Structures are given as structure tokens and as C-alpha cells.
Amino acid sequence: MTEARFDEIIHAPNRLRICSMLSAMNEVEFAALREALGVSDSVLSKQLKALEDAGYLSVRKSPLDGRTRTWAALTPAGKDAFSGHVAELRRLAAGIAID
């Protein structure tokens, strides 16, 4: 069972949404994340960098149709941190006291 723990890095709204999308898929392309969040390239890049610096996200670049595409994926540490954060949010929403 995942330990419920608040994670300030993940909690920022756009980073929480990024982690949520990535938790459901192996990886997601940069443009798909940008469109889903409705943010600019620079805003998304900053959010991905924060998650990558924390060790929660891996980024790979791949050529496709003559252009370089950027793909993001949660690392095992990112999956664990996201799962713990969601568990803590559920605990808070339920009003469950910490022992």
C-alpha cells in the first residue's frame, strides 16, 4: 500500500495535471500535454523541468516526420510520489486524522 504523503513539487496545479495524465500512459508527447493543459511551450517546459529535476519525470527526444518530438514519462520515483500525493489528498478530503 502506498504511504500517503503530501508532495509540494507535484501539488502545483499544472504539475498535478501532468502527473495525472502521465500516470495513465507510458509516455505523452509534449504537444499533447501543452494542448491538454492549455499553456504555452515555455510554461509547460518549466513545469516538466521541475518534475525532471525532482527525478519524477524522464524526457526523451525523437525525430518524427523531419521534426524532433519531445516525450515525457513518469519515472518509478514519480509514479510513487504521485500515488502517495493522491493518497494524501484523499485522506485530507475524507477528514481522516493522522495517528
Side-chain angles (χ1 to χ4, degrees):
M1 183 171 170
T2 300
E3 177 189 348
R5 63 195 178 282
F6 191 86
D7 190 304
E8 290 189 23
I9 293 168
I10 291 175
H11 192 67
N14 282 328
R15 292 194 294 264
L16 183 60
R17 292 176 65 201
I18 290 166
C19 289
S20 176
M21 287 186 279
L22 293 176
S23 72
M25 303 179 159
N26 288 334
E27 64 181 0
V28 178
E29 202 261 331
F30 184 93
L33 286 170
R34 181 191 62 225
E35 299 219 358
L37 295 172
V39 297
S40 67
D41 286 358
S42 62
V43 168
L44 179 56
S45 291
K46 181 178 177 182
Q47 300 306 314
L48 294 179
K49 179 81 169 116
L51 291 166
E52 187 177 25
D53 287 350
Y56 293 168
L57 184 86
S58 64
V59 174
R60 81 173 172 89
K61 296 188 182 278
S62 166
L64 182 65
D65 298 330
R67 294 182 16 194
T68 299
R69 306 274 181 159
T70 301
W71 299 85
L74 286 179
T75 63
K79 290 176 184 178
D80 182 61
F82 178 68
S83 181
H85 187 73
V86 169
E88 177 64 2
L89 293 176
R90 286 187 176 127
R91 187 194 66 77
L92 291 170
I96 298 170
I98 297 175
D99 293 333

